[in-house]
């Protein structure tokens, strides 16, 4: 009996550009690509209930215990990256579902972080739109040199962002729950408290992994410390920041601005208040969306599926 693989959320319709999915036919696997997000739980389950394997793009689709139980044929779940907060690994193990991951680009997200910050500092989106409608020099930007960059989460991505800050002449400070003085110094940063990070920084860039501990880590207290001259950059995960508090700060003027790539609900619904919030630069979760990143995501996901079909699964993520 042939098996079926679903490739989810291929918004740009490029999955076949980065891996030879048709070759899986030799392993008895037929492939279906979904290029649009599912509307909700019922639509997701209805679309996937007849698939044996699913490739999920990052955390776009939730696979909690209830959803996994409603997918009785599912035996393989491949996620891009080696961690995915949207997958209940314990439930998957209990249901006999193998979960595998892939590597990723170490540069894509840090580079987009800096693109967002520069775009905000020099008002690039606004000035681009004004120029196209016949206007010339409408705003006054600010320079990063001499300002203080606060890095929330000094891991692989945060450390690269810290390096960019140094290259631009910024004073770099950092905080995360388990950060040591030695790690901070090695990254060219000065370790401070969480309160100190938001109080001292002109810009705070968020780089922590989403978990129950980090959900809502940045709330109104932190944003008020950042203040009317401060900028929050988030290319990590939307729920790390209290979205309601962020909107209050932007709309009431006690937060200087935000440059965001991630949101509580993705894709962002039409009419969402962030879309019209003042002093923002917004991108549609592009942090990992590069040709180099996709080559690794899709290429290694293909390897994971083939290896599983041959009985020797690769890059298994333990519960």
């Amino acid at each position: 009996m042939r098996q079926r693989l679903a490739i989810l959320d291929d918004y740009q319709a490029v999955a076949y550009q980065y891996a030879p999915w048709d070759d899986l036919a030799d392993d008895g696997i037929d492939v279906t690509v979904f290029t649009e997000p599912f509307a909700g739980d019922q639509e997701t389950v209805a679309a996937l209930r007849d698939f044996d394997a699913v490739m999920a793009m990052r955390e776009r689709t939730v696979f909690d215990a209830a959803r996994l139980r409603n997918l009785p044929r599912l035996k393989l779940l491949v996620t891009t990256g080696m961690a995915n907060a949207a997958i209940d690994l314990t439930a998957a193990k209990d249901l006999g579902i193998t979960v595998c991951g892939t590597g990723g680009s170490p540069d894509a997200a840090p580079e987009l972080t800096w693109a967002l910050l520069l775009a905000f500092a020099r008002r690039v989106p606004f000035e681009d739109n004004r120029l196209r409608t016949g206007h010339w020099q409408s705003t006054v930007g600010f320079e990063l040199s001499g300002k203080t960059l606060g890095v929330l989460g000094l891991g692989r991505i945060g450390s690269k962002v810290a390096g960019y800050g140094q290259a631009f002449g910024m004073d770099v400070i950092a905080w995360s729950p388990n950060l040591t003085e030695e790690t901070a110094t090695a990254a060219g940063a000065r370790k401070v408290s969480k309160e100190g990070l938001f109080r001292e920084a002109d810009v705070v860039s968020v780089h922590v992994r989403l978990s129950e501990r980090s959900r809502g880590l940045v709330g109104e207290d932190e944003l008020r410390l950042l203040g009317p001259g401060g900028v929050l950059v988030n290319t990590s995960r939307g729920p790390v920041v209290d979205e309601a508090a962020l909107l209050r700060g932007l709309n009431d003027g006690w937060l200087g601005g935000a440059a965001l790539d991630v949101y509580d609900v993705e894709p962002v619904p039409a009419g969402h208040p962030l879309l019209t919030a003042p002093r923002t630069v917004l991108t549609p979760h592009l942090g990992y969306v590069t040709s180099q990143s996709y080559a690794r995501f899709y290429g290694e996901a293909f390897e994971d599926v083939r290896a599983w079909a041959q009985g020797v699964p690769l890059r298994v993520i333990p519960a």
Side-chain angles (χ1 to χ4, degrees):
M1 180 178 175
R2 297 187 67 79
Q3 300 185 93
R4 301 183 68 200
L5 165 68
I7 297 175
L8 304 187
D9 299 318
D10 181 17
Y11 296 162
Q12 300 97 345
V14 295
Y16 272 87
Q17 294 180 28
Y18 292 102
W21 298 105
D22 285 341
D23 289 358
L24 292 175
D26 297 336
D27 300 285
I29 298 176
D30 297 321
V31 179
T32 301
V33 178
F34 293 88
T35 58
E36 298 291 336
F38 301 123
D41 184 66
Q42 288 187 338
E43 184 179 334
T44 302
V45 170
L48 300 180
R49 69 169 65 252
D50 294 327
F51 285 89
D52 307 276
V54 170
M55 178 199 162
M57 179 59 74
R58 305 307 297 132
E59 290 152 357
R60 290 174 178 172
T61 305
V62 172
F63 290 95
D64 57 16
R67 182 166 288 174
L68 291 172
R69 284 194 294 268
N70 286 322
L71 300 173
R73 281 185 56 171
L74 186 63
K75 295 302 175 187
L76 174 68
L77 183 54
V78 178
T79 176
T80 53
M82 289 301 294
N84 189 323
I87 297 174
D88 187 327
L89 293 171
T90 301
K93 179 181 179 181
D94 292 343
L95 292 166
I97 301 168
T98 300
V99 181
C100 298
T102 74
S105 167
D107 300 310
E111 289 182 6
L112 184 77
T113 298
W114 215 251
L116 280 170
L117 179 52
L118 286 172
F120 184 93
R122 302 306 291 269
R123 308 294 190 258
V124 172
F126 181 81
E127 291 287 7
D128 176 87
N129 287 330
R130 293 280 288 176
L131 179 61
R132 294 173 190 275
T133 55
H135 298 85
W136 191 258
Q137 291 190 356
S138 303
T139 62
V140 178
F142 63 88
E143 299 172 12
L144 299 180
S145 181
K147 291 193 177 295
T148 298
L149 171 66
V151 181
L152 183 68
L154 199 62
R156 183 174 57 119
I157 293 174
S159 293
K160 279 189 171 288
V161 170
Y164 297 162
Q166 295 170 65
F168 274 74
M170 302 182 79
D171 178 36
V172 182
I173 59 177
W175 176 86
S176 57
N178 301 310
L179 181 64
T180 65
E181 297 279 1
E182 293 75 17
T183 299
T185 300
R190 175 167 50 89
K191 179 179 179 292
V192 296
S193 67
K194 181 184 176 186
E195 178 180 317
L197 185 88
F198 286 89
R199 188 183 300 280
E200 293 183 40
D202 299 294
V203 177
V204 168
S205 191
V206 180
H207 302 288
V208 295
R209 184 175 292 175
L210 179 63
S211 66
E212 286 310 308
R213 187 172 66 169
S214 67
R215 190 178 296 272
L217 184 66
V218 180
E220 181 162 334
D221 289 346
E222 290 77 21
L223 295 174
R224 283 191 178 275
L225 287 172
L226 188 54
V231 181
L232 181 81
V233 183
N234 189 6
T235 58
S236 175
R237 292 293 182 271
V240 173
V241 178
D242 182 334
E243 190 174 88
L246 178 64
L247 279 164
R248 286 195 298 274
L250 292 168
N251 289 320
D252 295 347
W254 48 261
L255 177 65
L260 308 174
D261 187 48
V262 290
Y263 311 89
D264 283 6
V265 177
E266 298 180 2
V268 175
H272 192 286
L274 273 173
L275 299 177
T276 53
R279 304 180 308 286
T280 55
V281 173
L282 310 176
T283 50
H285 205 154
L286 297 178
Y288 57 87
V289 183
T290 66
S291 58
Q292 293 90 338
S293 180
Y294 271 22
R296 190 161 186 188
F297 280 172
Y298 284 116
E300 293 188 7
F302 173 86
E303 293 173 357
D304 288 348
V305 175
R306 171 158 277 180
W308 168 79
Q310 296 173 353
V312 285
L314 286 174
R315 292 179 282 268
V316 175
I317 302 175

